[in-house]
Amino acid sequence: MMSRKTLDLWVGVFVAIGFGALLFLALKVANLSSFTGAGLYQITAKFDNIGGLKVRAPVKSSGVVVGRVREIHFDNQTFEAVVTMSIESRFEFPKDTSAKILTSGLLGEQFIGLAAGGDSVNLKNGDALKLTQSAVVLENLIGQFLYSKAAEGGDKAAQGDGKAVEGGGKAAQDGKAVEGGGKKQP
C-alpha cells in the first residue's frame, strides 16, 4: 500500500494537470491561444459598417483561420471603422487581397474573409487593404425587402384596378370615363 506522502503527491499531480487542462480550454474558448506576437504581421482595412464584428474574431481565407482581429477603432476623418488584423507570417497574401465581413450561418459569429488577388507583391507589416466589403446587416436587408414590397404595392395602387381606358388619354373614376369620351375596357 502507498504511503500517505506518495498518495498526496499523486493527488497534487492530477490536480495540477486538471488546472492546466481548464486553463487550456479557457484560452481556446476565449480565442487567446497565442500569447506572443512573434510570427505575426499587422494589416488594416477600412469598412463602412462592421456589424457585430469583435476583437479576436477570426480572419479566414478559404475557410482556414489565418489570423485574428486585433483592434477596431473609428476614423474621425473618413467616418469609417478601421480594423487591424494580425495575420500569421506563414500565410502570405498579395497586395490586392480583398476583405469581406461575413457571418457563419444565419445568425452565427462574424469574421473577416480574405480573398487573395493576383498581384506578385505580397502584403507586409503595416499595409492597408484597399478592397473591402462591409457587413450585411440583417435588419437592413429586411428593411430593403419591406420597402421594395411597399413600392410594388404603391405601383399597383397607382395603376388602379388594372383595366385600361380607351379614348382621349384621360383617367377613369369610379368605373366611368372622364373628360375624353373614352370607353372603359373590361
Side-chain angles (χ1 to χ4, degrees):
M1 185 157 227
M2 284 198 239
S3 70
R4 178 79 176 160
K5 286 185 180 182
T6 308
L7 184 63
D8 288 346
L9 177 69
W10 281 110
V11 168
V13 167
F14 283 117
V15 168
I17 290 172
F19 278 128
L22 285 175
L23 179 66
F24 174 77
L25 289 174
L27 293 175
K28 277 298 204 187
V29 168
N31 292 328
L32 293 173
S33 54
S34 62
F35 288 110
T36 64
L40 300 174
Y41 62 97
Q42 312 293 318
I43 57 174
T44 60
K46 291 185 176 185
F47 295 95
D48 291 329
N49 187 345
I50 61 166
L53 187 71
K54 299 197 178 354
V55 173
R56 292 188 311 273
V59 177
K60 298 181 181 183
S61 182
S62 300
V64 177
V65 176
V66 297
R68 298 266 173 208
V69 172
R70 182 168 190 251
E71 178 187 0
I72 300 171
H73 69 273
F74 186 73
D75 185 349
N76 287 320
Q77 277 71 42
T78 61
F79 304 107
E80 293 176 310
V82 179
V83 177
T84 304
M85 297 166 267
S86 295
I87 307 296
E88 293 181 35
S89 58
R90 63 187 172 124
F91 300 111
E92 297 179 355
F93 292 95
K95 268 201 173 291
D96 61 347
T97 296
S98 64
K100 290 185 202 179
I101 299 177
L102 303 168
T103 304
S104 297
L106 185 60
L107 298 173
E109 72 172 347
Q110 289 194 313
F111 64 94
I112 294 184
L114 297 179
D119 200 339
S120 60
V121 179
N122 287 335
L123 290 166
K124 59 185 185 306
N125 193 35
D127 282 348
L129 298 177
K130 304 292 183 223
L131 302 170
T132 61
Q133 182 177 340
S134 294
V136 176
V137 181
L138 189 60
E139 290 86 3
N140 292 348
L141 282 177
I142 293 170
Q144 287 175 349
F145 176 75
L146 293 175
Y147 179 75
S148 68
K149 288 299 179 188
E152 284 177 14
D155 290 344
K156 288 180 183 174
Q159 292 173 358
D161 59 2
K163 297 179 181 173
V165 175
E166 179 182 279
K170 303 294 179 184
Q173 287 181 331
D174 298 323
K176 299 177 184 170
V178 180
E179 293 185 32
K183 297 187 274 182
K184 185 174 178 181
Q185 299 294 318

